[in-house]
Amino acid sequence: MSGGWELEVNGTEAKLTRKVSGEKITVTFNTNNSIPPSFDEEPQEGQKEGDEEPELVSTPNFVVEITKLEGNQTLVMDCHYPEDEVGHGEEEEESDIFTIREVSFQPTGDTDWKESSYTLNTDSLDWALYDHLMDFLADRGIDNTFADELVELSTALEHQEYIRFLENLNKFVKC
């Protein structure tokens, strides 16, 4: 990951952290169930069935936590990759490839999302405010470039776990 992120991996869970201008930014994600189901498409003309396997890409939901180093609250944003934006290519360079699903303030240091804290679903949010939140993330290095790199990192971690799973399964069934 570019941008000076520190990576910590624990099985299928990953955490990226960095400090910028008096803030600690943490991005967490889990590679479990992060590969969208592939739909069997009819082969196109001139293409044999089974010619090309679809590329398996991990697009995990991820949580961004921004903590002011002298504060006691953390701004938490639950983000995801909409299915129609994955693999957008060059034709839609200006659109965001990830979206913010929910926003909340949580007590700093708590690892669990408190149900008693107000959580704002962005479906009902004013678009201007939503754009400001996306700009707020971009100012902290969480933009389309970051999102693309996160997909690459998550895909590599997911493939690594998949290989480890197959090796363990092989050992288990041989016993």
Side-chain angles (χ1 to χ4, degrees), residues 6-174:
E6 293 179 26
L7 174 64
E8 183 181 316
V9 179
N10 182 14
T12 61
E13 295 179 346
K15 178 165 50 170
L16 296 163
T17 56
R18 71 185 257 204
K19 291 183 180 172
V20 178
S21 303
E23 297 175 340
K24 179 180 177 187
I25 304 166
T26 305
V27 177
T28 55
F29 64 94
N30 192 314
T31 59
N32 280 335
N33 303 310
S34 64
I35 296 182
S38 60
F39 299 101
D40 293 334
E41 294 180 11
E42 295 291 319
Q44 296 177 357
E45 260 184 65
Q47 182 182 15
K48 294 179 188 169
E49 202 167 321
D51 259 0
E52 261 183 60
E53 288 292 319
E55 185 179 355
L56 298 177
V57 177
S58 172
T59 53
N61 295 340
F62 59 98
V63 175
V64 179
E65 299 176 13
I66 302 169
T67 305
K68 301 279 184 187
L69 294 180
E70 60 238 12
N72 62 352
Q73 284 189 320
T74 298
L75 179 63
V76 181
M77 298 184 204
D78 182 17
C79 303
H80 78 287
Y81 294 89
E83 286 183 36
D84 59 343
E85 293 295 331
V86 175
H88 61 89
E90 283 85 39
E91 67 272 359
E92 292 184 37
E93 278 302 311
E94 294 302 314
S95 69
D96 295 310
I97 62 172
F98 71 95
T99 61
I100 303 169
R101 189 181 322 199
E102 294 179 333
V103 181
S104 179
F105 279 107
Q106 299 292 327
T108 298
D110 283 359
T111 55
D112 293 330
W113 191 287
K114 296 266 186 239
E115 293 298 323
S116 59
S117 296
Y118 179 74
T119 300
L120 177 65
N121 186 310
T122 57
D123 290 341
S124 59
L125 189 62
D126 176 72
W127 279 104
L129 180 54
Y130 180 85
D131 286 343
H132 284 302
L133 289 173
M134 291 298 283
D135 291 343
F136 182 81
L137 288 178
D139 290 345
R140 284 145 184 83
I142 301 170
D143 54 12
N144 279 351
T145 301
F146 174 87
D148 281 334
E149 290 178 1
L150 185 71
V151 166
E152 290 176 24
L153 173 63
S154 181
T155 299
L157 293 172
E158 194 282 336
H159 289 352
Q160 186 178 37
E161 286 298 316
Y162 178 65
I163 290 169
R164 186 173 298 126
F165 170 81
L166 291 176
E167 289 169 346
N168 288 338
L169 182 62
N170 185 33
K171 288 177 191 172
F172 187 83
V173 296
K174 280 187 175 181

